[in-house]
Amino acid sequence: ESDKAALVALARASGDAGTSLKPISTEARDLFRRPFTAAELAPYDVVLFDPPRAGAEAQAREIAASVAPRVIAVSCNPQTFARDARLLIDGGYALERVVPVDQFRHSAHVELVAAFVKISAARGPSKGKSGRRRLLG
């Protein structure tokens, strides 16, 4: 996420939820210039990314090369989503579900949320190692 105030709010909200939640780490980072590498993503159970309209090509390539067991992708652009999803699928992920979200009532604009699971033969469907979660934006 590039919005530092949003990250502070998220960290505060997760801390206010008590100890029943798994730890959440946040970082302000330009994912076009410096995507998280496959090695950096290795310890996480879930990778969530919600890029701008241009999509997340560089980040999707790194996620595709990772062993992260689950990926959630949010998109406001079907074309860039298709490109990024193809990278994930070619990297050993299966698309489990896509849900359209019609959040802008008086426009044709639709968001979508997609869930992917790692199925490559090298790793297979799996559980993460650390129990930590990281949100990418």
Side-chain angles (χ1 to χ4, degrees):
E1 177 60 60
S2 60
D3 183 342
K4 290 180 184 177
L7 294 176
V8 169
L10 175 64
R12 185 176 306 125
S14 67
D16 290 345
T19 58
S20 63
L21 296 178
K22 291 182 180 181
I24 294 176
S25 61
T26 63
E27 180 179 336
R29 189 165 177 170
D30 182 338
L31 299 179
F32 290 105
R33 292 188 181 128
R34 195 168 62 96
F36 284 91
T37 66
E40 289 175 296
L41 297 172
Y44 296 100
D45 296 319
V46 179
V47 175
L48 170 96
F49 67 105
D50 181 4
R53 290 192 66 75
E57 185 173 5
Q59 187 61 71
R61 286 185 190 285
E62 291 293 332
I63 295 168
S66 79
V67 295
R70 299 196 63 80
V71 175
I72 306 299
V74 181
S75 181
C76 62
N77 183 336
Q79 290 175 322
T80 59
F81 168 76
R83 179 201 62 213
D84 297 345
R86 170 52 50 199
L87 292 169
L88 294 173
I89 290 166
D90 289 349
Y93 285 89
L95 177 60
E96 285 188 314
R97 188 170 183 197
V98 177
V99 177
V101 180
D102 186 10
Q103 68 183 17
F104 302 107
R105 189 177 203 189
H106 299 291
S107 80
H109 183 83
V110 175
E111 297 275 326
L112 65 87
V113 179
F116 296 85
V117 63
K118 190 74 164 185
I119 59 165
S120 67
R123 173 105 172 169
S126 61
K127 296 179 179 152
K129 298 173 190 168
S130 72
R132 294 189 303 170
R133 294 190 173 126
R134 176 172 297 266
L135 304 178
L136 305 179

